[in-house]
Amino acid sequence: MTAQPLPPNRVYYCECYVNERRLGTYDAYSPREALRWVRISLMMIAVTLDEEPYREARAWLDHGQPAAARELEQGKRHTLTLKQRTTAATWTVSPIACPPAHQARA
């Protein structure tokens, strides 16, 4: 009999908003998976950005992810916002503590 893997003690709830309208959500089970979701969705729009928000996106893609991973591992929320003219796109990853499996079933 093989042992079942333990459920994670945290879930990372990911959201993307544009001008306060939610465009998408994702439940990740590790900081790495959460940041991958942000990175992929950010890369999909990066080519459409003006020069300054594009530079901000590139800076986050190239250098911001290690700090974001540390924040998430410490249980802190991470937010990235890019603004272009009258549009603001915001990605938020929120760690959510999960009870141990034996408590969740009670």
Side-chain angles (χ1 to χ4, degrees), residues 35-55:
L35 294 175
R36 181 177 184 267
W37 181 82
V38 173
R39 186 174 58 248
I40 289 170
S41 60
L42 176 58
M43 289 171 55
M44 288 186 338
I45 69 151
V47 296
T48 66
L49 296 173
D50 290 340
E51 186 174 346
E52 185 56 33
Y54 177 80
R55 285 184 189 176

Side-chain angles (χ1 to χ4, degrees), residues 5-50:
L6 293 173
N9 60 357
R10 270 193 197 136
V11 173
Y12 298 85
Y13 182 66
C14 309
E15 299 176 285
C16 179
Y17 282 83
V18 173
N19 291 346
E20 300 182 18
R21 184 173 183 189
R22 187 169 57 194
L23 292 186
T25 64
Y26 182 73
D27 292 336
Y29 297 97
S30 70
R32 183 178 176 178
E33 184 182 1
L35 294 175
R36 181 177 184 267
W37 181 82
V38 173
R39 186 174 58 248
I40 289 170
S41 60
L42 176 58
M43 289 171 55
M44 288 186 338
I45 69 151
V47 296
T48 66
L49 296 173
D50 290 340

Side-chain angles (χ1 to χ4, degrees), residues 75-87:
K76 298 176 184 174
R77 175 186 296 199
H78 179 75
T79 301
L80 170 66
T81 299
L82 299 175
K83 295 180 181 177
Q84 177 169 295
R85 299 182 197 121
T86 61
T87 302

